[in-house]
Amino acid sequence: GGDMATHASPSFVGAASRWKRGERVGVEDRRAATKAPRRTHRPTPTRHLLARNAAADGDPTWGLDLDSDDGVEGVEPPQGRFVPAVPPNDVHLKSPKQWSPVSFAFLGDAVWELYVRRAFFAPPCKPVDYDLKTKRAARAEAQDMVLRALMDEADPFFTEEELAVVRWGRNGGSAGNTPSRLRGKNKGGFAIYRNASALECVIGYLYISDGDRLQQMMERVIGSGLLERTTLEKWK
């Protein structure tokens, strides 16, 4: 589809107007006056075609202009419990060797950060503040702090099976992967790194095997203010 546009040359316009007024015009002017205007084809912009086709199909988003700089009003964040969708898998500690603790930690790292980002989503704040809070809560030192709190003898959270996963994940850490900032005398680096790996491992395990139990754990971490405290620490 497209729009047809007519373009008349200046010589045509001038000669035609003089001829209509009865003025004498030369041979070249008469030729210009009788020459048909040049017609050109202007292709319709793609975004207009898409909008037109979507409107014809009854698409409620047909009026959305993806090239527009116009802003939109804010929306209220969702209320209630936050539960990431858990894939249907049959994973149990009976056969842990199918996956390494690093595999569960790999998954748990992403799940942990998703919960962290959801927890800090409201109230609204600047992007730099979102980023700062998330980075602090995702550091090994913060995860070490959370694991120690969950294993507090006064109010332990984990079951025997989950403790076995914690030990498994803790033993899966390699000293060579310890962040450079944690290395050196009196920094407790490898222990902190192992505890962080253990937390990520058990989070990944629960995400796969028992979503409700994972939700209980994260509600305790967030509801007790523990997660918020990890963002207040000035980790070196």
Side-chain angles (χ1 to χ4, degrees):
D3 301 322
M4 297 300 294
T6 302
H7 297 275
S9 65
S11 60
F12 167 79
V13 175
S17 61
R18 290 198 300 275
W19 200 354
K20 285 182 179 179
R21 290 197 302 267
E23 298 179 7
R24 186 172 180 175
V25 294
V27 175
E28 294 299 325
D29 286 335
R30 285 200 300 273
R31 287 177 180 172
T34 57
K35 187 176 180 181
R38 178 169 53 91
R39 298 175 70 83
T40 60
H41 177 77
R42 287 181 183 170
T44 303
T46 303
R47 63 179 180 274
H48 293 167
L49 287 175
L50 291 174
R52 187 185 305 165
N53 293 339
D57 294 337
D59 185 349
T61 65
W62 70 268
L64 179 63
D65 185 358
L66 298 181
D67 296 317
S68 173
D69 293 330
D70 295 339
V72 295
E73 295 183 2
V75 296
E76 290 296 323
Q79 303 297 321
R81 299 173 73 209
F82 170 63
V83 185
V86 179
N89 280 296
D90 185 21
V91 180
H92 299 287
L93 199 60
K94 298 173 185 176
S95 54
K97 298 301 179 184
Q98 284 185 271
W99 293 269
S100 70
V102 175
S103 298
F104 282 109
F106 163 76
L107 182 60
D109 176 51
V111 176
W112 169 259
E113 185 161 329
L114 182 59
Y115 269 99
V116 167
R117 287 174 179 258
R118 175 60 178 85
F120 296 144
F121 179 70
C125 61
K126 296 178 180 178
V128 66
D129 293 327
Y130 278 136
D131 188 59
L132 180 61
K133 285 184 175 182
T134 302
K135 283 182 176 178
R136 285 181 174 173
R139 289 171 76 97
E141 297 92 327
Q143 293 173 330
D144 168 67
M145 174 193 255
V146 170
L147 183 69
R148 290 178 186 275
L150 291 172
M151 296 185 66
D152 189 343
E153 293 181 359
D155 188 18
F157 174 80
F158 297 117
T159 65
E160 285 300 319
E161 180 179 339
E162 292 161 358
L163 282 174
V165 176
V166 170
R167 284 192 293 270
W168 184 45
R170 197 170 186 276
N171 292 335
S174 170
N177 293 330
T178 306
S180 58
R181 70 177 183 277
L182 297 178
R183 297 177 185 176
K185 262 190 174 182
N186 303 320
K187 291 189 176 180
F190 188 36
I192 291 175
Y193 173 73
R194 292 176 71 188
N195 291 342
S197 298
L199 179 70
E200 291 177 344
C201 183
V202 74
I203 288 175
Y205 179 81
L206 291 176
Y207 174 73
I208 288 292
S209 63
D210 193 341
D212 289 339
R213 184 65 176 156
L214 171 63
Q215 183 65 23
Q216 291 173 14
M217 188 186 91
M218 293 309 302
E219 285 180 350
R220 176 162 168 173
V221 171
I222 297 170
S224 66
L226 178 58
L227 182 64
E228 185 69 31
R229 289 201 301 275
T230 65
T231 68
L232 303 178
E233 294 288 338
K234 305 296 183 182
W235 309 119
K236 296 181 180 179

